[in-house]
């Protein structure tokens, strides 16, 4: 699945980017899910915010960075009261291929019992094009973009 | 004395530039545009070239060579919009504009009275400021010289080759830069170091080595026009639709679904151009590269969907052989005739109700988008229709001379 995302540096102030120790390269910022402190840039209530990418800790929320749209539709996430959000990525990395993200990726935000917020990337079965391009069976749900 | 000027306007990494028009975040980054199925790179930015990524390279190889590259899905409909905008700008300078390909145009400026260098700059600036696509401009006495000139200083290059500049300019060009002399033919002139050496050869010798095309270039390269700019596309002899069927399949229903899609595309084009065909050929190409053919001669010229459907069924029966995996299909219509030349026939078996239905289908698709209403047989290939950008392919861009 999606291993990393890139987003534009100018979406956040330099202070915030330094505070979260994100990898800044020229005009872009990168966030890798495998890293200990992975964050996603999220547009929530009209504001850009950096929110933890899923969870890797032993707290009472799913230990993953992704949410299958099938399980979300089946109501399996309902007990978490997820809030939809737009992940403002400019590109995303799947199986070594960075692909363009036009408007954003669909995300879900849930709150842990400690009040921390976590963002999960919503995924769907890959289209023929995406499967050929990346070899991946699943792809992120893209906003107003068909791949 | 004013000289007759022909221009070649060539967009720089056109598909990538088009993507950058609507997504400025791609500017300055290594970008590759992927083809119809996301398997191959069909265009790459100048930033990606130093990594060794080539056009036609499979994505798995490109990602190894350029792991930082950003890959973008092709959108030919968008590329056509920008291409037409570029054409419109060029028509402000001359009425004789040749839509050579989606990213290349030739313009005949006639005996241009002004400063030719300034003309090249004006064209480049206007296109860049109005369309945001960078172009290279070559201006010279013939289209062959103009094309070589535009290729010389890419990207955003300008090269003017006047009569007195021809020989010194050609002394800097290798014979491989002559457009239309392929790799095979260029082997015959490998003893020539520059194009100047080429034109210094006696005409008879060039004709002997490269036949008529080589001789024609010999004249063009010296400033004699043999290939005029064609403002109107010359009449075609055949029309075809087809291509990959997105993998290799043995299932006749799946292949028929793809054939229906291509028949609908063919009829769409015939109707738009108001032309008819009298012979339909179907080619089925297997995974091993074998080609099976079916051919049906129609009783009369037609662009009627129902008649062509019957003919395609017959052709499919002839061509399809069980047990083979097929990867490509092509439907070819030949010869072409204008619908205006149709003679009235008292014994026509056209069903009026069915014709009305087809007309309604056309109108609906024009209003709500291509393939909104389509044949039920295409239900065997739902993935093709799940993506609207697949409905529009490079050959659907009308009027261009070259593929």
């Amino acid at each position: 699945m999606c291993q990393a995302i890139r987003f534009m540096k100018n979406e956040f102030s330099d202070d915030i980017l330094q505070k979260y120790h994100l990898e800044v390269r020229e005009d872009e910022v990168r966030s890798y899910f495998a890293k200990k402190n992975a964050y996603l840039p999220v547009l929530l209530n009209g504001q850009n915010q950096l929110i933890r990418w899923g969870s890797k800790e032993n707290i009472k929320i799913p230990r993953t960075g992704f949410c299958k749209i099938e399980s979300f539709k089946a109501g399996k996430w309902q007990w978490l009261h997820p809030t939809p959000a737009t992940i403002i990525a400019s590109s995303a990395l799947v199986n070594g291929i960075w692909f363009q993200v036009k408007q954003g990726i669909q995300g879900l935000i849930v709150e842990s019992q400690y009040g921390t917020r976590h963002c999960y990337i919503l995924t769907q079965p890959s289209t023929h094009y995406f499967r050929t391009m990346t070899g991946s069976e699943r792809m992120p749900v893209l906003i107003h973009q068909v791949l | 004395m004013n000289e007759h000027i022909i221009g070649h306007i060539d967009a720089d990494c056109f598909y990538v530039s088009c993507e950058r028009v609507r997504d400025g975040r791609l500017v300055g980054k290594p970008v590759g545009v992927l083809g119809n199925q996301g398997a191959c790179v069909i265009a790459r930015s100048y930033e990606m070239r130093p990594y060794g990524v080539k056009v036609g390279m499979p994505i798995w190889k490109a990602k190894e060579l350029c792991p930082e590259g950003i890959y973008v899905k092709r959108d030919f409909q968008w590329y056509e919009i920008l291409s037409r905008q570029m054409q419109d700008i060029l028509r402000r300078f001359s009425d004789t504009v040749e839509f050579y390909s989606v990213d290349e145009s030739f313009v005949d400026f006639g005996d241009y009275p002004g400063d030719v260098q300034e003309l090249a700059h004006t064209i480049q600036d206007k296109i860049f400021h109005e369309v945001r696509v960078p172009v290279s401009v070559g201006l010279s006495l013939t289209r062959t010289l103009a094309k070589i000139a535009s290729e010389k200083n890419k990207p955003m290059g300008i090269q003017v080759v006047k009569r007195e500049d021809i020989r010194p300019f050609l002394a800097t060009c290798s014979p491989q830069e002559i457009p239309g002399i392929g790799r095979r033919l260029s082997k015959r002139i490998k003893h020539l170091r520059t194009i100047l050496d080429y034109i210094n050869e006696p005409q008879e010798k060039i004709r002997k080595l490269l036949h008529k095309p080589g001789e024609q270039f010999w004249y063009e390269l010296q400033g004699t026009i043999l290939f005029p700019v064609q403002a109107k596309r010359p009449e075609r002899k055949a029309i075809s639709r087809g291509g990959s069927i997105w993998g290799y399949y043995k299932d006749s229903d799946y292949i028929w679904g793809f054939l229906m899609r291509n028949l609908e595309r063919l009829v769409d084009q015939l109707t738009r151009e108001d032309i008819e065909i009298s012979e339909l050929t179907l080619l089925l190409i297997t995974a091993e590269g074998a080609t099976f053919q079916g051919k049906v001669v129609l009783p009369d010229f037609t662009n009627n969907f129902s008649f062509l459907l019957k003919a395609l069924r017959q052709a499919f029966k002839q061509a399809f052989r069980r047990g083979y995996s097929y990867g490509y299909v092509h439907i070819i219509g030949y010869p072409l005739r204008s619908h205006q030349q149709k003679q009235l026939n008292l014994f026509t078996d056209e069903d009026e109700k069915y014709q009305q239905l087809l007309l309604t289908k056309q109108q609906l698709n024009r209003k709500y988008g291509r393939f909104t209403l389509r044949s039920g047989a295409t239900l065997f290939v739902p993935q093709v229709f799940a993506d609207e950008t697949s409905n529009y392919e490079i050959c659907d861009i009308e009027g261009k001379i070259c593929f």
Side-chain angles (χ1 to χ4, degrees):
Chain A
M1 227 359 265
C2 191
Q3 289 121 17
I5 61 135
R6 293 191 207 180
F7 59 96
M8 299 310 285
K9 188 183 154 195
N10 60 13
E11 302 281 6
F12 294 91
S13 70
D14 290 347
D15 295 346
I16 289 183
L17 294 173
Q18 274 177 4
K19 187 179 151 193
Y20 286 88
H21 306 290
L22 288 164
E23 186 185 323
V24 180
R25 284 198 208 174
E26 294 171 6
D27 60 342
E28 280 182 334
V29 186
R30 293 171 189 221
S31 181
Y32 291 84
F33 179 62
K35 287 199 175 167
K36 196 180 168 194
N37 289 315
Y39 288 89
L40 287 173
V42 172
L43 175 65
L44 191 64
N45 303 325
Q47 239 190 340
N48 288 349
Q49 303 178 32
L50 285 166
I51 296 181
R52 280 187 188 86
W53 186 345
S55 169
K56 293 164 199 149
E57 297 145 34
N58 205 5
I59 50 178
K60 286 179 182 169
I61 54 170
R63 281 181 74 175
T64 173
F66 311 94
C67 165
K68 286 186 177 178
I69 198 163
E70 301 92 312
S71 60
F72 174 73
K73 283 183 178 168
K76 291 180 182 172
W77 286 63
Q78 219 167 4
W79 65 279
L80 291 159
H81 306 293
T83 315
T86 301
I87 300 163
I88 48 168
S90 57
S91 56
L93 180 72
V94 171
N95 288 346
I97 290 162
W98 287 101
F99 60 90
Q100 179 198 30
V101 176
K102 287 182 179 169
Q103 293 198 15
I105 298 171
Q106 190 66 60
L108 287 178
I109 295 174
V110 301
E111 210 172 292
S112 74
Q113 73 266 41
Y114 305 111
T116 52
R117 287 183 304 168
H118 301 256
C119 184
Y120 293 84
I121 289 180
L122 205 60
T123 71
Q124 63 186 9
S126 291
T127 58
H128 172 84
Y129 197 94
F130 194 84
R131 196 180 302 114
T132 312
M133 179 169 76
T134 63
S136 172
E137 288 303 317
R138 295 198 71 80
M139 64 185 287
V141 176
L142 302 169
I143 296 166
H144 302 307
Q145 183 184 357
V146 179
L147 266 179
Chain B
M1 196 182 96
N2 300 329
E3 276 195 309
H4 195 100
I5 294 293
I6 287 178
H8 180 243
I9 290 78
D10 191 1
D12 301 322
C13 57
F14 182 60
Y15 296 167
V16 174
S17 300
C18 290
E19 293 298 340
R20 284 172 170 168
V21 168
R22 57 182 179 184
D23 189 351
R25 299 171 303 180
L26 298 171
V27 175
K29 298 193 173 74
V31 176
V33 176
L34 299 176
N36 276 347
Q37 293 181 69
C40 284
V41 176
I42 57 167
R44 79 276 197 236
S45 68
Y46 285 94
E47 293 82 358
M48 190 174 259
R49 291 178 196 204
Y51 294 90
V53 177
K54 301 250 176 356
V55 170
M57 187 177 268
I59 179 76
W60 56 266
K61 198 170 175 190
K63 79 169 182 184
E64 281 171 13
L65 293 172
C66 184
E68 292 298 307
I70 301 171
Y71 295 93
V72 179
K73 183 184 177 182
R74 51 82 189 112
D75 182 352
F76 293 121
Q77 201 161 10
W78 173 241
Y79 306 155
E80 179 177 5
I81 290 169
L82 297 187
S83 180
R84 301 258 179 226
Q85 285 180 14
M86 286 164 57
Q87 301 280 315
D88 289 344
I89 292 172
L90 292 175
R91 279 195 198 94
R92 289 183 215 158
F93 295 89
S94 166
D95 292 332
T96 316
V97 176
E98 179 178 317
F99 186 13
Y100 183 68
S101 71
V102 70
D103 59 345
E104 283 178 74
S105 297
F106 287 97
V107 185
D108 189 331
F109 296 100
D111 295 336
Y112 191 72
D115 182 340
V116 181
Q117 193 81 28
E118 202 180 300
L119 171 70
H121 278 287
T122 311
I123 291 169
Q124 191 179 62
D125 287 351
K126 283 232 176 295
I127 292 178
F128 190 68
H129 286 109
E130 292 182 32
V131 192
R132 308 300 301 167
V133 168
V135 295
S136 293
V137 181
L139 297 181
S140 192
L141 278 66
T142 65
R143 55 188 288 157
T144 306
L145 283 167
K147 188 162 167 62
I148 296 171
S150 73
E151 298 284 339
K152 209 64 189 165
N153 298 316
K154 276 179 151 289
M156 282 293 261
I158 282 178
Q159 181 79 53
V160 175
V161 184
K162 293 182 183 170
R163 190 169 293 280
E164 60 271 24
D165 305 327
I166 292 178
R167 293 183 73 82
F169 173 69
L170 293 183
T172 67
C173 305
S174 127
Q176 284 167 342
E177 291 174 54
I178 304 172
I181 301 255
R183 203 179 298 164
R184 196 170 55 86
L185 284 180
S186 67
K187 280 181 188 163
R188 298 183 194 172
I189 49 167
K190 60 183 176 192
H191 61 287
L192 303 176
R193 219 168 36 82
T194 67
I195 304 183
L196 183 63
D197 295 340
Y198 182 90
I199 61 167
N200 282 340
E201 290 283 303
Q203 176 201 343
E204 299 77 28
K205 194 174 172 190
I206 291 292
R207 190 184 171 92
K208 207 173 166 189
L209 287 169
L210 302 174
H211 314 296
K212 198 178 167 193
E215 188 187 20
Q216 286 173 323
F217 286 126
W218 188 84
Y219 280 112
E220 277 255 326
L221 289 164
Q222 295 181 69
T224 307
I225 298 176
L226 289 192
F227 308 126
V229 175
Q230 296 168 295
K232 208 177 156 211
R233 183 189 167 136
E235 281 190 11
R236 280 184 291 187
K237 290 192 173 125
I239 185 166
S240 79
R241 285 293 181 271
S244 162
I245 60 168
W246 296 27
Y248 291 98
Y249 293 88
K250 287 180 176 177
D251 179 20
S252 61
D253 286 340
Y254 181 90
I255 297 163
W256 180 248
F258 249 98
L259 286 174
M260 284 308 297
R261 173 186 166 83
N262 283 304
L263 181 67
E264 288 188 340
R265 290 176 63 214
L266 185 87
V267 172
D268 199 20
Q269 195 59 34
L270 291 171
T271 316
R272 250 187 287 171
E273 290 188 33
D274 206 20
I275 46 177
E276 301 172 319
I277 58 170
S278 70
E279 200 176 294
L280 186 136
T281 304
L282 167 67
L283 303 178
L284 299 178
I285 300 165
T286 69
E288 293 79 28
T291 303
F292 298 130
Q293 184 181 316
K295 194 190 249 183
V296 175
V297 178
L298 297 150
D300 192 8
F301 278 88
T302 185
N303 58 15
N304 183 303
F305 182 79
S306 56
F307 295 160
L308 294 174
L309 174 62
K310 274 182 210 162
L312 184 65
R313 271 207 190 102
Q314 279 182 49
F316 187 54
K317 263 188 193 169
Q318 291 171 25
F320 183 76
R321 294 179 200 183
R322 286 197 188 282
Y324 286 93
S325 281
Y326 296 91
Y328 295 86
V329 297
H330 294 283
I331 305 172
I332 303 158
Y334 169 90
L336 303 179
R337 190 184 75 175
S338 166
H339 183 66
Q340 308 300 327
Q341 294 174 327
K342 196 174 187 77
Q343 290 185 352
L344 290 175
N345 182 352
L346 286 172
F347 306 103
T348 178
D349 57 354
E350 287 185 8
D351 177 346
E352 250 182 60
K353 274 188 181 173
Y354 191 69
Q355 292 314 311
Q356 198 55 45
L357 187 71
L358 291 176
L359 195 68
T360 310
K361 178 184 160 191
Q362 266 173 25
Q363 286 167 345
L364 279 170
N365 285 340
R366 220 164 280 162
K367 191 168 178 184
Y368 296 105
R370 211 173 187 200
F371 301 119
T372 302
L373 192 63
R374 56 182 200 266
S375 161
T378 58
L379 290 172
F380 291 111
V381 287
Q383 71 274 37
V384 184
F385 295 95
D387 176 6
E388 273 185 26
T389 61
S390 295
N391 294 344
Y392 205 79
E393 295 181 19
I394 187 75
C395 56
D396 292 318
I397 300 175
E398 280 174 50
K400 59 188 168 45
I401 288 180
C402 177
F403 179 75

